[in-house]
């Protein structure tokens, strides 16, 4: 019987990366495929789980994390595989170090998964529900386990059809006319820059979220001609526990529906010919039906490569093969080494010179087999050719990344001066280094779909390898830091990413399989989503777009230190101010001004950096996506109607995750209301309530996700002093955060007695790694 380590063991050629964990045990990604092929002897099933935490065999590939001590975690590390009371069914549960029913043995020789609590084996019943029963010899009790690179969730990108048009252009799923209305048809459009209606995000629970709006997701539309197996696709509001809105990607690159697992997304019509090509949900004619096969762009292809089983270089251990290898190594390096492969990762070595020496070498008389010499010579020539191209890819990325951050200190200082921020102060700012980098990738792929996706492919993989190597239980990318320490923190993040890039490059250069596959990506057509072929890319344009995106990310971090949003509900007077710092929608008027004076607006030089660089007014003023400004409620010159609003505070919960949330606000046992928070958006508790007399008044807030799962609980302290606006904060020791989430430092802004506006507090919530 093989041990757990046989799945997660390290290679002497390539050091395995350990995934982040919520315990001290390192974890390794893997998947389990059942030998059972269904009643048709065709269908492939994988170990998975349902929304009720019950474990099942599903057609969706589920990535798990396996620890060396035998615990099998969900991909987020929040739950482990366990047994229900009685030891029959399999479920997800919280980690319990004292529970043997949570420990499993993977037998890779006999393809069994055994529970240590009962000694029985993982199996499935006739409904594909996972159970644990004594050994019986059935195919349902046999599992093939293998390392699996996780499907990228939580990142923005395109779903492109593998089928190209007659001009070899890619087409992608798109929301018709960029409409945010629910029920809008989903169609195929050619991949184009600045087409936000083509950008989607697959969430961890399988929703496909549109970038057009926080709660807009892909859904099954009306039946085609009354069919029960053919449907149009449209958009809809994100719903709880609705399998029709949940999707998976199978091993054939088909996107299937969780409610109708035999139906997959395809399209009707001819790309580039028909005026409208509708996306549909239907039965593919075969597993290779190209109209039903999809590519995610970016593909994050390097993630898959570095997560595969290591494949060592051909070994030369004796005879003329060893002698040939040692001779070629010594000759090419002028006697410095008899192991030329050890030079592949050395930045001081010119591999092109080594290649020239190896190519021109002739077989010495001391080596009797010319055939052996030529075999080794050809292999080393091939390896050096591959290594040169791999190094060039990473050198180009490092050059891009270095230029992006080369003026970091100057840019940060200039922005701080523009926003009027004291960079020597101890004021705390929130940030998420991974979010900042991914926001740059998002802008790149939306502005430059071809070159941008290439940089995102590399960059996201480099970020991922950094997450893997840290092995921390906390979400290290989320941080709270004082302004005086901000530059040092950002510089440290920059250095870490450069180190991560070097680590990934060296990992690939030390493994024959990884190096071969990475080299193959270097010669794909540049418009292929997996391509690393940088020939002909406009790096100046890529750098310009990325620099603008990075500048915007810095503004997102600094702006809340001196500015907030003043919101006046529809029907009440608001000043008619410049559109540079105001926004109006059906809910009311939003004005951006300093935290101390709602008539002190940002300078034009600052707003020009926003609106001239493509920042969405709706997103900034409503604190959506990367923006997180506190929101104060004010009624300006009609104070008599709302006398005492300065006594109040209006909490805003900022949801940085891909799952909708809601929060309930309670005061003295009275439920003040339930407030919805879209994905990647902010929810404001804008409700009238009585503040009471001077002193502390507490408001308990409970945050849950759309499925009713707890996220966080905390108490807002509304402290009113005489002739002053309210001071607002989170009550000490009141914060309780559920596993899988991180609550950032709240942005707290005092209300104004003189100007009659309420206090504001914004509480950011992130998904932990």
């Amino acid at each position: 019987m093989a041990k757990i380590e046989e799945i997660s063991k390290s290679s002497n050629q390539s050091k395995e990366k350990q995934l982040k964990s919520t315990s001290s045990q390192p974890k390794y990604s893997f998947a389990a495929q059942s030998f059972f092929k269904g009643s048709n002897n065709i269908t492939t099933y994988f170990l998975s789980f349902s929304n009720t935490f019950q474990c099942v065999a599903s057609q969706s590939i589920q990535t798990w994390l396996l620890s060396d001590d035998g615990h099998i975690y969900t991909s987020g590390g929040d739950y482990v595989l366990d047994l229900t009371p009685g030891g029959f069914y399999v479920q997800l549960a919280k980690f319990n170090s004292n529970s043997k029913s949570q420990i499993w043995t993977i037998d890779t020789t006999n393809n069994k998964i055994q529970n240590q609590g009962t000694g029985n084996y993982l199996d499935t019943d006739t409904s594909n529900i996972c159970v644990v029963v004594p050994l019986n010899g059935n195919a349902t009790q046999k599992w093939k386990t293998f390392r699996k690179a996780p499907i990228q969730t939580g990142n923005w990108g395109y779903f492109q059809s593998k089928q190209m048009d007659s001009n070899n252009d890619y087409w992608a799923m798109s929301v018709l006319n960029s409409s945010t209305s629910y029920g809008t048809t989903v169609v195929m459009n050619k991949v184009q820059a600045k087409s936000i209606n083509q950008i989607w995000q697959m969430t961890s629970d399988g929703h496909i979220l549109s970038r057009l709006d926080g709660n807009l997701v892909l859904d099954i539309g009306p039946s085609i001609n009354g069919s029960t197996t053919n449907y149009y696709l449209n958009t809809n509001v994100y719903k709880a526990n609705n399998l029709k809105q949940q999707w998976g990607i199978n091993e054939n690159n088909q996107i299937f529906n969780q409610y109708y697992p035999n139906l997959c997304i395809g399209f009707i019509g001819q790309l580039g010919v028909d005026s409208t090509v509708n996306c549909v949900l239907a039965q593919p004619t075969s597993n290779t039906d190209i109209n039903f096969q999809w590519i995610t762009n970016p593909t994050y292809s390097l993630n898959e490569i570095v997560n595969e089983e290591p494949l060592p270089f051909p070994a030369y251990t004796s005879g003329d093969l060893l002698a040939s290898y040692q001779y070629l190594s010594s000759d090419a390096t002028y006697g410095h080494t008899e192991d030329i492969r050890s030079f592949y990762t050395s930045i001081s070595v010119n591999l092109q010179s080594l290649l020239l020496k190896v190519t021109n070498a002739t077989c010495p008389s001391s080596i009797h087999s010319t055939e052996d010499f030529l075999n080794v010579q050809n292999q080393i020539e091939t390896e050096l050719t591959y290594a040169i191209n791999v190094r060039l890819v990473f050198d180009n990325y490092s050059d891009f990344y270095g230029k992006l951050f080369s003026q970091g200190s100057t840019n940060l200082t200039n922005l701080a001066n523009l926003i009027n921020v004291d960079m020597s102060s101890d004021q705390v700012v929130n940030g998420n280094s991974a979010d900042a980098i991914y926001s740059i990738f998002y802008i790149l792929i939306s502005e430059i779909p071809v070159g941008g996706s290439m940089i995102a492919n590399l960059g996201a993989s480099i970020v991922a390898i950094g997450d893997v190597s840290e092995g921390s239980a906390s979400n290290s990318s989320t941080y709270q830091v004082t302004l005086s320490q901000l530059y040092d923190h950002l510089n440290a993040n920059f250095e870490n990413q450069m180190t991560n890039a070097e680590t990934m490059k060296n990992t690939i250069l030390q493994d024959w399989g990884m190096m071969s596959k990475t080299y193959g990506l270097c010669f794909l057509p540049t418009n292929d989503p997996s391509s690393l072929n940088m020939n002909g890319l406009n790096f100046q344009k890529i750098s310009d777009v990325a620099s603008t995106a990075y500048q915007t990310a810095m503004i997102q971090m600094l702006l809340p230190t001196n500015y907030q949003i003043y919101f006046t509900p529809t029907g009440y007077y608001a000043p008619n101010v410049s559109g540079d710092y105001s926004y109006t929608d059906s809910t009311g008027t939003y004005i951006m001004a300093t935290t101390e004076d709602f008539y002190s607006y940002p300078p034009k030089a600052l707003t020009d950096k926003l609106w001239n660089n493509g920042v969405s007014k709706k997103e900034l003023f409503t604190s959506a996506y990367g923006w997180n400004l506190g929101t104060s409620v004010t009624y300006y010159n009609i104070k008599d109607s709302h006398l005492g609003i300065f006594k109040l505070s209006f909490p805003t919960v900022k949801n940085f995750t891909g799952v909708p949330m809601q929060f309930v606000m309670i005061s003295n046992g009275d439920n003040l209301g339930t407030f919805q928070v879209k994905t990647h958006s902010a929810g404001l508790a804008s409700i009238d309530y009585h503040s009471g007399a001077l002193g502390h008044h507490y408001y308990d807030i409970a945050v849950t996700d759309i499925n009713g799962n707890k996220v966080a609980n905390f108490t807002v302290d509304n402290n009113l002093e005489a002739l002053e606006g309210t001071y607002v904060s989170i009550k000490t020791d009141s914060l309780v955060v559920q596993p899988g989430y991180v609550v950032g430092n709240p942005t707290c802004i005092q209300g104004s007695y003189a100007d009659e506006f309420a206090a504001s507090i914004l509480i950011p919530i992130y998904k932990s790694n």
Side-chain angles (χ1 to χ4, degrees):
M1 179 177 291
K3 296 181 179 179
I4 292 289
E5 286 79 9
E6 290 191 7
I7 294 178
S8 56
K9 63 187 177 183
S10 296
S11 162
N12 60 355
Q13 295 287 340
S14 175
K15 184 179 179 182
E16 292 288 345
K17 281 72 62 182
Q18 297 172 354
L19 295 177
K20 278 189 173 182
S21 71
T22 52
S23 74
S24 59
Q25 288 290 332
K27 302 183 180 72
Y28 307 86
S29 62
F30 87 106
Q33 178 181 330
S34 175
F35 276 55
F36 177 64
K37 294 293 186 179
S39 58
N40 59 7
N41 202 33
I42 296 176
T43 307
T44 302
Y45 291 98
F46 298 89
L47 177 62
S48 187
F49 59 90
S50 69
N51 285 340
T52 61
F53 282 28
Q54 187 174 47
C55 289
V56 297
S58 165
Q59 294 179 59
S60 174
I61 299 178
Q62 172 67 45
T63 298
W64 302 85
L65 303 180
L66 175 65
S67 67
D68 284 340
D69 61 1
H71 287 88
I72 297 176
Y73 290 78
T74 55
S75 59
D78 301 330
Y79 297 94
V80 296
L81 216 59
D82 198 355
L83 303 182
T84 57
F88 183 67
Y89 290 106
V90 185
Q91 66 176 1
L92 299 182
K94 291 294 185 181
F95 173 79
N96 181 353
S97 60
N98 297 318
S99 175
K100 289 193 68 175
S101 66
Q102 294 184 354
I103 301 175
W104 304 80
T105 297
I106 310 293
D107 179 356
T108 57
T109 302
N110 299 302
N111 303 113
K112 306 293 184 186
I113 301 178
Q114 184 181 28
N115 184 267
Q116 292 303 299
T118 64
N120 290 332
Y121 295 84
L122 184 66
D123 203 336
T124 56
D125 64 14
T126 55
S127 300
N128 293 330
I129 305 299
C130 288
V131 296
V132 169
V133 296
L135 193 63
N136 56 31
N138 293 338
T140 53
Q141 216 171 58
K142 298 183 72 174
W143 301 86
K144 173 187 175 183
T145 53
F146 54 93
R147 287 185 59 78
K148 176 71 175 62
I151 295 172
Q152 287 293 318
T153 60
N155 298 329
W156 299 105
Y158 303 86
F159 284 101
Q160 296 178 191
S161 173
K162 278 195 169 184
Q163 177 69 275
M164 293 187 286
D165 65 18
S166 58
N167 295 318
N168 289 327
D169 290 324
Y170 282 101
W171 289 57
M173 279 197 296
S174 311
V175 180
L176 185 64
N177 298 325
S178 298
S179 173
T180 58
S181 299
Y182 302 134
T184 300
T185 302
V186 176
V187 298
M188 297 295 292
N189 283 327
K190 186 165 66 174
V191 174
Q192 297 182 34
K194 303 180 184 296
S195 297
I196 192 173
N197 65 320
Q198 296 183 337
I199 306 293
W200 306 82
Q201 176 187 108
M202 178 167 271
T203 67
S204 58
D205 65 355
H207 283 83
I208 296 180
L209 183 67
S210 171
R211 186 57 173 75
L212 288 169
D213 183 71
N215 277 9
L216 194 69
V217 297
L218 187 67
D219 201 348
I220 300 175
S223 167
I224 301 176
N225 298 325
S227 171
T228 58
T229 57
N230 293 275
Y231 300 87
Y232 291 111
L233 293 179
N234 61 18
T235 60
N236 207 337
V237 63
Y238 196 128
K239 298 177 182 177
N241 300 316
N242 188 324
L243 290 179
K244 291 184 177 181
Q245 292 186 347
Q246 292 174 270
W247 310 85
I249 302 177
N250 65 25
E251 58 191 356
N252 301 311
N253 296 308
Q254 296 167 331
I255 304 174
F256 65 90
N257 184 260
Q258 298 281 8
Y259 189 83
Y260 297 114
N262 294 322
L263 304 183
C264 301
I265 297 176
F267 59 86
I268 297 175
Q270 190 171 351
L271 299 176
V273 176
D274 297 330
S275 58
T276 301
V277 178
N278 287 96
C279 290
V280 298
L281 184 68
Q283 177 76 51
T285 58
S286 70
N287 288 338
T288 58
D289 187 342
I290 197 169
N291 284 8
F292 286 80
Q293 291 184 312
W294 299 86
I295 310 170
T296 58
N297 180 10
T299 62
Y300 306 106
S301 48
L302 281 181
N303 280 18
E304 297 182 12
I305 289 174
V306 298
N307 274 280
E308 290 182 352
E309 288 287 351
L311 178 64
F313 292 108
Y316 305 122
T317 58
S318 62
D320 282 347
L321 290 173
L322 175 60
S324 298
Y325 178 72
Q326 291 175 336
Y327 173 81
L328 288 167
S329 297
S330 179
D331 182 62
T333 63
Y334 297 96
H336 282 88
T337 183
E338 291 186 341
D339 181 13
I340 196 171
R341 289 165 175 162
S342 65
F343 276 27
Y344 293 172
T345 60
S346 176
I347 60 175
S348 62
V349 174
N350 186 331
L351 296 187
Q352 196 71 50
S353 297
L354 297 186
L355 176 59
L356 183 62
K357 287 283 290 180
V358 170
T359 301
N360 293 332
T362 58
C363 183
S365 59
S366 58
I367 296 175
H368 304 293
S369 174
T370 303
E371 182 182 358
D372 283 353
F373 180 84
L374 291 176
N375 284 340
V376 175
Q377 185 180 40
N378 289 336
Q379 174 65 27
I380 301 304
E381 285 180 22
T382 301
E383 290 177 14
L384 283 167
T385 300
Y386 289 7
I388 289 168
N389 282 275
V390 170
R391 280 172 51 156
L392 181 61
V393 166
F394 280 90
D395 288 347
N396 282 334
Y397 179 81
S398 295
D399 184 58
F400 154 79
Y401 198 73
K403 288 179 179 177
L404 180 62
F405 291 94
S406 61
Q407 301 297 318
S409 177
T410 302
N411 291 339
L412 189 63
T413 299
N414 290 341
L415 289 174
N417 291 336
L418 201 56
I419 298 171
N420 196 22
V421 174
D422 179 5
M423 293 301 294
S424 65
S425 79
D426 290 332
Q427 186 173 358
V428 175
V429 294
N430 286 299
N432 185 291
S433 54
D435 282 355
I437 294 173
Y438 280 117
S439 69
I440 295 172
F441 298 156
Y442 161 71
I443 296 297
L444 278 174
I445 64 172
S446 59
E447 295 283 332
I448 315 172
V450 174
S453 65
M454 204 174 298
I455 295 297
N457 271 333
L458 270 166
S461 299
I462 289 166
V463 172
I465 203 172
D467 289 343
V468 161
S469 62
E470 287 165 7
S472 169
S474 65
N475 182 5
S476 60
S477 61
T478 301
Y479 58 85
Q480 294 86 44
V481 63
T482 63
L483 287 169
S484 60
Q485 298 174 330
L486 180 58
Y487 174 72
D488 289 341
H489 186 89
L490 295 176
N491 190 59
N493 284 336
F494 164 73
E495 295 291 345
N496 287 340
Q497 292 307 309
M498 295 295 277
T499 300
N500 294 340
E502 191 71 13
T503 299
M504 173 168 272
K505 179 183 71 174
N506 291 342
T507 298
I508 293 171
L509 290 172
Q510 292 171 334
D511 184 274
W512 177 229
M514 295 181 192
M515 191 161 70
S516 301
K517 291 183 177 180
T518 304
Y519 174 79
L521 301 181
C522 296
F523 291 91
L524 292 174
T526 54
N527 69 334
D528 188 300
S530 296
S531 177
L532 294 179
N533 184 354
M534 297 188 178
N535 291 329
L537 289 188
N538 187 340
F539 272 98
Q540 186 60 54
K541 182 178 181 182
I542 291 173
S543 294
D544 290 345
V545 170
S547 295
T548 299
Y550 181 64
Q551 176 181 263
T552 300
M554 293 302 96
I555 295 175
Q556 288 175 336
M557 189 185 307
L558 294 175
L559 201 60
T561 61
N562 195 38
Y563 288 92
Q564 70 172 337
I565 302 301
Y566 294 89
F567 173 67
T568 305
T570 297
Y572 295 94
Y573 168 81
N576 183 20
V577 298
S578 166
D580 277 352
Y581 34 81
S582 69
Y583 170 77
T584 299
D585 64 13
S586 60
T587 63
T589 298
Y590 302 78
I591 295 175
M592 178 168 50
T594 63
T595 58
E596 296 181 352
D597 182 357
F598 57 32
Y599 288 113
S600 179
Y601 308 122
K604 192 175 188 307
L606 174 58
T607 57
D608 282 349
K609 287 186 178 293
L610 299 171
W611 317 136
N612 292 348
N613 289 328
V615 171
S616 162
K617 286 190 175 182
K618 177 182 178 182
E619 291 179 9
L620 185 150
F621 283 97
T622 61
S623 287
Y625 300 96
W627 300 99
N628 57 339
L629 292 161
T631 302
S632 172
V633 177
T634 182
Y635 293 90
Y636 289 90
N637 65 349
I638 52 171
K639 299 175 184 176
D640 292 342
S641 300
H642 293 274
L643 190 63
I645 195 170
F646 66 90
K647 301 178 181 179
L648 308 181
S649 61
F650 293 92
T652 299
V653 171
K654 175 58 189 288
N655 178 7
F656 278 94
T657 80
V659 178
M661 296 180 183
Q662 60 185 14
F663 64 96
V664 177
M665 184 172 168
I666 295 175
S667 175
N668 295 322
D670 294 331
N671 188 332
L672 300 181
T674 300
F675 308 94
Q676 305 301 316
V677 191
K678 295 180 179 181
T679 71
H680 306 287
S681 301
L684 172 67
S686 58
I687 185 170
D688 289 331
Y689 62 92
H690 179 65
S691 63
L694 299 180
H696 293 270
H697 303 275
Y698 300 110
Y699 306 96
D700 297 318
I701 291 180
V703 186
T704 59
D705 68 17
I706 192 172
N707 299 312
N709 301 309
K710 293 180 179 180
V711 174
N713 293 75
F714 49 86
T715 299
V716 174
D717 182 356
N718 199 66
N719 181 19
L720 180 61
E721 298 185 5
L723 301 180
E724 291 190 62
T726 290
Y727 292 88
V728 63
S729 63
I730 298 294
K731 185 181 178 183
T732 304
D733 298 328
S734 71
L735 178 63
V736 178
V737 185
Q738 298 302 313
Y741 294 94
V742 172
V743 174
N745 191 68
T747 300
C748 305
I749 302 171
Q750 183 187 6
S752 172
Y753 172 79
D755 290 331
E756 197 72 29
F757 61 77
S760 66
I761 178 170
L762 181 141
I763 304 97
I765 300 179
Y766 304 86
K767 190 73 176 173
S768 65
N769 291 348

